[in-house]
Amino acid sequence: MINYNVDENGFYGKFGGAYIPEMLYPNVEELRQNYLKIMAEPDFQEELQALLKDYVGRPTPLYFAKRLSEKYNTNIYLKREDLNHTGAHKINNTVGQVLMAKRLGKKRIIAETGAGQHGVATATVCALMGLECIVYMGEVDIQRQAPNVARMKMLGATVVPATSGSKTLKDATNEAIRDWINNPEDTYYIIGSVVGPHPYPDMVARFQSVISEEIKAQLKEKTGNENPDYVVACVGGGSNAAGAFYHYLDTPEVKLVAVEAAGLGVDSGESAATSVLGREGIIHGSRTLLMQTEDGQVTEPYSISAGLDYPGVGPLHAHLHQSGRAIFESITDDEALQAVLELTRLEGIIPALESAHALAALGRIGAKPDETIVVNLSGRGDKDLTTYLDRFDLHGK
Amino acid sequence: MENRIKTLFEQKPQGLLSVYFTAGYPNLEDTVPIILELEKNGVDLIEVGMPFSDPLADGPTIQQSSEIALRNGMTIPKLFEQLKNIRKHTQIPLVLMGYLNPVMQYGVERFCQKAREIGIDGIILPDLPLSDYVREYTELFEQNNLSKIFLITPQTPEQRIREIDSHTNGFVYMVSSASVTGSTNGQAVANTDYFQRVGQMGLRNPGMIGFGIHNRDTFSQACNHARGAIIGSAFIKALAQEGSLEQNIQTFIQGIKQEV
């Protein structure tokens, strides 16, 4: 049987590892040696579980979307990660990592952010713990995700614009890594996705795995069967998908559907569909699939969704793609926007642009009337309202 | 077989000056002229930077020079083409420095063979893990007579420094302080405890101090603690000055070497 979890060297199949300059080695090594031990400590778990329950608001509901199910003539459940405190799944990870940072005695927290959801979730837990917080965000993303920038500032974080390259998530990540090189003693880097050098992909997946842990129990309660036929989630770096897939990885009858952003179309030159357009390479310390030129220069991705606008993908997902364990779909900007409107008008839920990519794949799956689909609704759409009002021409109506 | 880096350290006891520049900057065809001019001005070793789109360990100066070099059309095949006949003109030790991904896409084996054909003496790939190198590439580098140069930092534990030293041949690249390249805050030479600690370890390789070495003062102080020092960002800034390449290089290098 293929192993879908990380091996002792930090690899998922051939992907993963820690391709980092020596300057980062002591910090990453400290984390590698301690993360599993700390996560297993009873008082760590007690503190984490209490925060997830009373602060984040877990468990999040598993909601049977009746009208959406009728539309697609199947049974669709939405895992409501959008109802978490701060509006997305990102806080599952930041709560865990901030406790990790405290156990390691770190005083200063840095993070990268794309859509701003991870930045907000990091700024939130830093406010909660009284820790200094610096968030790196691409200049382009600062423009298109203004509400989240305001929230981070309100929470006391310093938002530093990343002005190099495409000025999006990839460049924000570069800047965060440079900050960590410059501050190796007191600083903890809270990576927001299942990317980066080992042990980050595994640690973030474990903190997000609460999503599929809950789906299993909730689905069992509702249908008598803990296994759906499909689990569908969007993938940028891939943290919400990792969390939604985690406890189903070794259950082959549950089909996993990973949905990437096609941008203006996979062949348009303006896309972020890494599984289609990427080749094996190294980005942000990890061997994975990567959009790059023939000469190995990282190319600039595009998606309307800042959270999916990333030229790589987590090594777990590269492995799921290559091994055929997950089905990969790509959804264009327009298809995602259609799905936003559809969910909003059928169910009264405004999804985030990222999550809308997962919803838009419902039409591609071809599920039968007696089958069950769980869609991970990773975030809410408040941060995208300006885009929605523009694109749906709702100004002044 | 002779390796020019090894010979250099055998022949010159102290005050070695190594200079890094980004190939393809300021202009695509400047690579060979810069090498020859550096040699003429008495530089001991040259690190030719292979530009990468996402240079994680580099500060703004090398980031920008890399961006411009890539825009100018620099690639690994292009660089090899430019350096094809370099050994007809100079015997200065040459090291190629860059990030792993472009080398991986070119093919590590093909890269090492091509480097040997040209007469390259060493390779620095900061994001190639020591463990991967030991497992997959040691023989390849040795077969092609290439020194593999690894970095250490003030945070590197003693045991790991020894491990790195045992797999390095050429020199140990001592990153001066916790910083990306191009810092000018003076911290580069402040960490004398670290330099002494490494100095007293009796490593088999000589040490060169780099990162943040940017003028005559920092260079000469670094030389008090190691066999020599490496200058990168400050040199790249000097190349951007008005005036000819030759003039800029001469002014900068003479400024560094004065009275050392």
Side-chain angles (χ1 to χ4, degrees):
Chain A
M1 203 174 100
I2 298 176
N3 175 29
Y4 297 108
N5 279 303
V6 78
D7 68 21
E8 71 261 34
N9 297 317
F11 281 86
Y12 299 87
K14 65 202 289 206
F15 302 109
Y19 295 82
I20 47 172
E22 194 61 29
M23 293 78 103
L24 290 172
Y25 183 85
N27 269 325
V28 171
E29 184 61 12
E30 178 187 31
L31 195 57
R32 189 185 70 81
Q33 284 179 5
N34 290 294
Y35 81 111
L36 290 175
K37 201 168 63 195
I38 290 174
M39 284 177 80
E41 284 169 6
D43 68 323
F44 179 90
Q45 278 304 323
E46 198 179 312
E47 199 177 351
L48 175 63
Q49 297 309 327
L51 281 172
L52 288 177
K53 177 167 180 281
D54 297 328
Y55 186 72
V56 176
R58 301 205 73 92
T60 58
L62 184 70
Y63 165 70
F64 177 65
K66 186 163 174 288
R67 297 186 67 205
L68 194 66
S69 297
E70 281 165 6
K71 161 113 202 245
Y72 289 98
N73 194 25
T74 187
N75 303 291
I76 299 168
Y77 289 84
L78 302 178
K79 181 57 175 166
R80 298 291 308 275
E81 292 300 300
D82 61 316
L83 295 178
N84 282 322
H85 180 39
T86 72
H89 70 289
K90 291 290 186 187
I91 198 160
N92 302 331
N93 169 47
T94 61
V95 164
Q97 284 204 55
V98 84
L99 295 179
M100 183 70 64
K102 279 181 67 179
R103 294 294 191 287
L104 294 170
K106 308 288 180 176
K107 306 273 183 265
R108 180 176 174 273
I109 301 293
I110 56 171
E112 85 296 338
T113 197
Q117 290 301 108
H118 174 59
V120 168
T122 304
T124 298
V125 296
C126 286
L128 178 69
M129 301 289 168
L131 294 170
E132 184 186 358
C133 179
I134 296 100
V135 179
Y136 291 89
M137 187 169 187
E139 212 168 39
V140 169
D141 293 337
I142 287 179
Q143 300 301 320
R144 60 180 168 174
Q145 302 287 341
N148 275 343
V149 177
R151 290 164 81 196
M152 286 184 267
K153 288 183 177 165
M154 185 75 195
L155 288 158
T158 306
V159 181
V160 182
T163 56
S164 57
S166 55
K167 303 177 178 64
T168 61
L169 180 54
K170 157 181 97 82
D171 312 286
T173 308
N174 289 341
E175 290 306 325
I177 292 174
R178 288 179 187 125
D179 181 310
W180 210 20
I181 289 174
N182 289 332
N183 299 281
E185 307 277 0
D186 63 338
T187 297
Y188 182 95
Y189 178 17
I190 300 189
I191 293 185
S193 193
V194 287
V195 302
H198 177 67
Y200 276 106
D202 183 49
M203 179 171 63
V204 176
R206 283 169 188 265
F207 284 133
Q208 291 294 357
S209 70
V210 65
I211 299 172
S212 48
E213 189 184 316
E214 288 176 7
I215 293 174
K216 274 190 145 179
Q218 292 166 323
L219 201 63
K220 171 100 179 168
E221 192 190 308
K222 285 178 197 298
T223 68
N225 183 354
E226 63 179 18
N227 297 332
D229 296 285
Y230 298 90
V231 178
V232 187
C234 65
V235 172
S239 69
N240 91 78
F245 295 168
Y246 196 86
H247 290 286
Y248 292 116
L249 288 172
D250 296 323
T251 312
E253 59 266 36
V254 179
K255 298 183 224 19
L256 308 175
V257 184
V259 186
E260 293 181 313
L264 300 183
V266 167
D267 300 321
S268 68
E270 299 290 331
S271 179
T274 305
S275 74
V276 184
L277 301 169
R279 256 186 5 263
E280 195 180 324
I282 308 279
I283 185 170
H284 298 141
S286 182
R287 183 185 285 246
T288 188
L289 294 173
L290 167 63
M291 289 168 56
Q292 55 185 315
T293 65
E294 196 191 329
D295 300 310
Q297 307 297 339
V298 181
T299 50
E300 297 180 359
Y302 164 80
S303 165
I304 191 173
S305 146
L308 303 182
D309 200 353
Y310 185 67
V313 65
L316 163 67
H317 296 296
H319 183 46
L320 294 179
H321 177 258
Q322 198 163 65
S323 64
R325 175 66 188 93
I327 303 157
F328 277 69
E329 296 282 352
S330 36
I331 292 295
T332 63
D333 289 359
D334 288 342
E335 290 169 319
L337 285 163
Q338 272 311 308
V340 168
L341 209 51
E342 183 177 273
L343 187 73
T344 304
R345 300 292 164 88
L346 284 177
E347 299 288 349
I349 298 169
I350 305 176
L353 264 171
E354 290 74 21
S355 322
H357 285 72
L359 293 163
L362 282 169
R364 304 259 183 97
I365 289 171
K368 300 185 188 81
D370 62 340
E371 289 188 316
T372 301
I373 303 178
V374 174
V375 180
N376 196 32
L377 194 65
S378 55
R380 69 177 84 126
D382 306 28
K383 69 183 176 61
D384 299 309
L385 284 179
T386 313
T387 307
Y388 295 166
L389 291 176
D390 288 345
R391 297 293 289 251
F392 301 136
D393 196 21
L394 291 171
H395 289 287
K397 286 190 182 169
Chain B
M1 203 191 338
E2 191 210 340
N3 178 292
R4 294 177 195 83
I5 298 172
K6 204 164 163 257
T7 310
L8 172 68
F9 282 99
E10 283 164 6
Q11 288 174 350
K12 187 164 173 177
Q14 253 182 336
L16 278 80
L17 172 59
S18 178
V19 169
Y20 168 97
F21 73 96
T22 307
Y25 175 87
N27 298 299
L28 183 60
E29 300 297 340
D30 287 340
T31 313
V32 172
I34 289 173
I35 291 173
L36 298 181
E37 198 60 28
L38 284 171
E39 188 197 28
K40 205 164 101 188
N41 283 280
V43 166
D44 298 297
L45 192 152
I46 298 172
E47 294 168 31
V48 182
M50 302 175 285
F52 181 48
S53 55
D54 293 76
L56 288 181
D58 287 303
T61 303
I62 293 180
Q63 286 175 45
Q64 280 154 23
S65 68
S66 302
E67 230 175 283
I68 292 170
L70 290 172
R71 220 181 299 143
N72 288 342
M74 183 48 71
T75 62
I76 290 175
K78 177 76 195 167
L79 178 61
F80 282 151
E81 175 65 27
Q82 290 176 342
L83 295 177
K84 193 170 60 181
N85 296 317
I86 192 73
R87 286 305 174 204
K88 290 186 184 156
H89 305 288
T90 172
Q91 292 307 313
I92 192 166
L94 289 173
V95 171
L96 296 180
M97 181 166 187
Y99 291 81
L100 180 58
N101 195 53
V103 174
M104 200 173 126
Q105 303 307 322
Y106 186 86
V108 182
E109 197 173 338
R110 186 174 156 225
F111 179 84
C112 289
Q113 285 162 356
K114 196 79 192 169
R116 178 206 183 127
E117 270 172 50
I118 288 167
I120 298 296
D121 303 289
I123 308 286
I124 308 177
L125 298 169
D127 56 346
L128 172 64
L130 180 67
S131 52
D132 275 45
Y133 170 74
V134 171
R135 199 173 51 237
E136 293 176 38
Y137 302 126
T138 311
E139 247 178 77
L140 181 66
F141 277 65
E142 280 170 6
Q143 277 165 9
N144 289 293
N145 196 26
L146 293 167
S147 293
K148 176 68 179 76
I149 293 142
F150 284 101
L151 278 56
I152 63 169
T153 81
Q155 281 75 35
T156 312
E158 178 171 338
Q159 197 193 340
R160 186 165 166 88
I161 293 179
R162 294 208 181 276
E163 199 187 342
I164 287 170
D165 182 48
S166 76
H167 294 289
T168 293
N169 47 14
F171 61 90
V172 170
Y173 193 128
M174 296 168 66
V175 176
S176 62
S177 62
S179 173
V180 294
T181 57
S183 155
T184 52
N185 61 11
Q187 289 305 304
V189 286
N191 210 336
T192 49
D193 285 358
Y194 156 60
F195 300 142
Q196 279 166 12
R197 178 164 57 85
V198 176
Q200 285 162 4
M201 283 178 68
L203 301 181
R204 50 191 280 274
N205 288 284
M208 295 281 283
I209 296 174
F211 283 43
I213 310 300
H214 61 279
N215 55 19
R216 189 171 65 98
D217 272 1
T218 46
F219 176 68
S220 68
Q221 286 180 56
C223 288
N224 291 333
H225 298 288
R227 291 289 291 279
I230 303 155
I231 300 182
S233 299
F235 176 69
I236 288 167
K237 278 186 197 158
L239 291 177
Q241 301 297 311
E242 280 195 27
S244 70
L245 207 60
E246 291 74 18
Q247 195 57 56
N248 287 339
I249 293 174
Q250 194 188 340
T251 306
F252 183 80
I253 301 299
Q254 294 319 314
I256 297 291
K257 286 174 71 91
Q258 230 170 34
E259 293 170 42
V260 173

